[in-house]
Amino acid sequence: MKLVRKDIEKDNAGQVTLVPEEPEDMWHTYNLVQVGDSLRASTIRKVQTESSTGSVGSNRVRTTLTLCVEAIDFDSQACQLRVKGTNIQENEYVKMGAYHTIELEPNRQFTLAKKQWDSVVLERIEQACDPAWSADVAAVVMQEGLAHICLVTPSMTLTRAKVEVNIPRKRKGNCSQHDRALERFYEQVVQAIQRHINFDVVKCVLVASPGFVREQFCDYMFQQAVKTDNKVLLENRSKFLQVHASSGHKYSLKEALCDPTVASRLSDTKAAGEVKALDDFYKMLQHEPDRAFYGLKQVEKANEAMAIDTLLISDELFRHQDVATRSRYVRLVDSVKENAGTVRVFSSLHVSGEQLSQLTGVAAILRFPVPELSDQEDDSSSEED
C-alpha cells in the first residue's frame, strides 16, 4: 500500500489518499472503510444517451465518484473489494443521491474521509504501508491423499489450492495400486506448488504432515526435479522446511507455525508472533488460569486493575456496525497501550485469528494473578442458581 496524502485535523476528522498495490492491500482497505465514511475513487458507470433522432443507446464511461458508504463486500479468495453507497458530489453522469457500487482496483488511488480516525485504523495504515510487512511464507499441509497449498501473509492465510486423490489401501503382497495413486498425488501437489508459489517473494516453504509423508514427498519432488532439470525447485531447495502437523487440513497449519524451528526461521513475521501469543495464552489458561482472561467484560475488569501484559484482539471486532461498541474496543486497546501493555491485533482470516474468534475475539495474558475477578464470576453464577 502506498500513502499518497494524509490530512487529519486535531479533532481526528480528515482524509487519506492511498494506492493499493497488492491483493492483500484490499484486505487492509476492507478494515479501514466503515459505513458512514466518504469514499472517492475512479469507477465505471453505464450511461444512457439519447441522440437527436430520439434513439436511446448506452455506453460505459470512466468517472470519479464520491460515495457515502452504506455496504462493504470483500471476497477473500479473489481479494476484491466492492463498496456500495449514494453519490454525495455533483457529477455529469450520476445524480446526487443515486446508488453506485465501486470496485476498488489495484494501482488506482482512492480517498477515504472519516469524521473520526481512531488509533486502531491509523495503526493499520502504518502497517499496510510498511514494506517489511510483505508476504513471505508459503505452506503445504498434507496427509496421504489430501494437501492444502497456502500463502501465509502477515494479515491472512490464503488457501491457493486443494489437492485430493483417493489412495487405495495396501493389499497383502500387492502395493502397486497404492504406490501409483500416491505418485499421482505427489505429482499434483508439485504442480500446485509450481503454479501458486512465487519463489522470488517467498522466503520459506513449510511442508507439514503427520508421519513420514513430508519426507517421502520431498524426496519424490527433488528426485523428479533432478530428472526433469527443474531449476526453479532445485535452486530454491533450501527454502523448504519439513515440520510435523497432525493432519492435512488447513487448521493444522497452526501446529506447524508453533514448531520452534519454524519460529526461528519466521521470527520477524507477524504470523509467527500471533501464533506464539495465542500459544502462550493457552499455556497460561492451563497452568495459571488467574492470569488468562477472555471475554470483553472480564478483560475490561482486568484492564481497570492495570493487570494486562498482552492483549489479544481480533480485527473483526473493529468492523462492528455499532459505533459505540467499536469505540469500546478502541478505548480498550488505547488504555492497554497507555499502561505499557502489548496489543496484538489478530487477522480474522488467519488460522490463529479464527481460533481467537472462538474465544469471543478478545483475550488477555495478565502481569499478575487477579483471582477476585474469577471469584466474582463464580459468586454471580451461584446466585443465579
Side-chain angles (χ1 to χ4, degrees):
M1 187 91 84
K2 184 180 176 184
L3 179 63
V4 178
R5 188 168 175 168
K6 185 176 176 183
D7 298 312
I8 296 176
E9 306 295 331
K10 286 182 180 177
D11 62 352
N12 283 336
Q15 61 184 39
V16 295
T17 302
L18 298 160
V19 180
E21 296 176 312
E22 297 175 16
E24 191 182 351
D25 291 338
M26 293 302 176
W27 169 247
H28 289 300
T29 307
Y30 173 55
N31 283 280
L32 297 176
V33 181
Q34 291 163 348
V35 173
D37 292 349
S38 154
L39 180 74
R40 182 174 176 79
S42 173
T43 184
I44 302 287
R45 179 80 175 187
K46 195 175 181 181
V47 178
Q48 286 196 329
T49 54
E50 190 172 336
S51 67
S52 54
T53 59
S55 61
V56 177
S58 68
N59 59 329
R60 292 157 68 83
V61 295
R62 182 169 283 282
T63 184
T64 301
L65 292 180
T66 305
L67 303 182
C68 177
V69 178
E70 290 193 9
I72 308 140
D73 177 50
F74 179 69
D75 181 345
S76 61
Q77 289 306 310
C79 282
Q80 290 178 331
L81 180 64
R82 296 179 190 84
V83 180
K84 181 185 176 186
T86 51
N87 184 33
I88 56 173
Q89 266 189 20
E90 289 289 344
N91 184 282
E92 62 176 305
Y93 302 113
V94 185
K95 292 177 185 175
M96 290 277 284
Y99 276 95
H100 184 79
T101 300
I102 292 177
E103 184 173 316
L104 291 178
E105 302 172 52
N107 301 310
R108 280 192 185 272
Q109 72 176 39
F110 66 88
T111 300
L112 181 64
K114 289 177 181 283
K115 292 173 185 171
Q116 177 77 30
W117 286 87
D118 60 53
S119 59
V120 172
V121 174
L122 291 172
E123 190 175 331
R124 183 171 278 274
I125 290 175
E126 281 180 36
Q127 291 174 348
C129 297
D130 181 358
W133 274 57
S134 56
D136 54 4
V137 182
V140 182
V141 192
M142 63 193 309
Q143 65 189 48
E144 281 197 2
L146 175 67
H148 286 84
I149 287 79
C150 306
L151 291 180
V152 184
T153 76
S155 299
M156 58 178 106
T157 306
L158 292 169
T159 304
R160 279 291 173 231
K162 181 181 179 182
V163 179
E164 274 188 292
V165 172
N166 184 36
I167 310 285
R169 287 185 177 179
K170 288 183 179 178
R171 294 176 184 274
K172 203 169 184 180
N174 182 12
C175 299
S176 59
Q177 277 189 313
H178 172 271
D179 294 344
R180 277 201 302 271
L182 202 57
E183 194 170 312
R184 193 167 68 250
F185 168 62
Y186 288 160
E187 181 56 37
Q188 288 182 26
V189 176
V190 172
Q191 288 173 8
I193 288 172
Q194 291 178 293
R195 196 177 305 121
H196 297 288
I197 296 177
N198 180 358
F199 287 98
D200 294 334
V201 178
V202 169
K203 296 188 180 80
C204 177
V205 182
L206 305 179
V207 183
S209 78
F212 297 102
V213 177
R214 56 189 179 276
E215 287 96 334
Q216 291 166 358
F217 167 70
C218 287
D219 288 347
Y220 171 85
M221 177 169 60
F222 292 117
Q223 282 169 11
Q224 291 300 311
V226 171
K227 280 182 189 175
T228 57
D229 194 25
N230 188 322
K231 288 179 181 174
V232 174
L233 287 176
L234 293 173
E235 285 170 7
N236 291 283
R237 185 170 188 162
S238 60
K239 291 183 180 179
F240 285 83
L241 185 63
Q242 297 178 27
V243 288
H244 172 77
S246 58
S247 76
H249 294 280
K250 183 184 163 186
Y251 63 78
S252 297
L253 183 56
K254 177 185 172 288
E255 301 166 28
L257 290 169
C258 275
D259 190 288
T261 53
V262 175
S264 63
R265 282 279 287 268
L266 313 181
S267 55
D268 58 340
T269 69
K270 179 174 181 282
E274 285 182 3
V275 170
K276 185 181 183 303
L278 193 63
D279 198 41
D280 289 346
F281 174 80
Y282 278 125
K283 284 178 183 171
M284 194 67 79
L285 193 63
Q286 189 176 3
H287 300 296
E288 291 185 69
D290 287 346
R291 286 183 58 199
F293 284 10
Y294 63 91
L296 183 58
K297 283 184 181 176
Q298 280 267 64
V299 171
E300 280 181 329
K301 285 176 184 173
N303 185 48
E304 285 167 18
M306 298 173 75
I308 295 178
D309 182 46
T310 306
L311 177 71
L312 288 62
I313 189 163
S314 170
D315 60 10
E316 199 171 24
L317 302 176
F318 301 116
R319 296 196 296 273
H320 205 286
Q321 294 298 316
D322 181 41
V323 177
T325 305
R326 192 166 65 238
S327 300
R328 192 174 166 188
Y329 290 117
V330 172
R331 282 197 304 272
L332 175 63
V333 167
D334 291 343
S335 178
V336 170
K337 285 180 180 176
E338 282 168 19
N339 295 330
T342 304
V343 176
R344 288 205 171 270
V345 179
F346 282 59
S347 169
S348 54
L349 285 189
H350 238 302
V351 277
S352 53
E354 288 169 9
Q355 286 197 310
L356 183 61
S357 294
Q358 292 169 6
L359 292 170
T360 72
V362 60
I365 299 170
L366 309 190
R367 295 188 176 102
F368 48 84
V370 188
E372 58 267 24
L373 292 188
S374 305
D375 296 341
Q376 286 172 15
E377 295 289 320
D378 294 340
D379 293 343
S380 60
S381 60
S382 59
E383 283 168 18
E384 286 169 15
D385 296 341

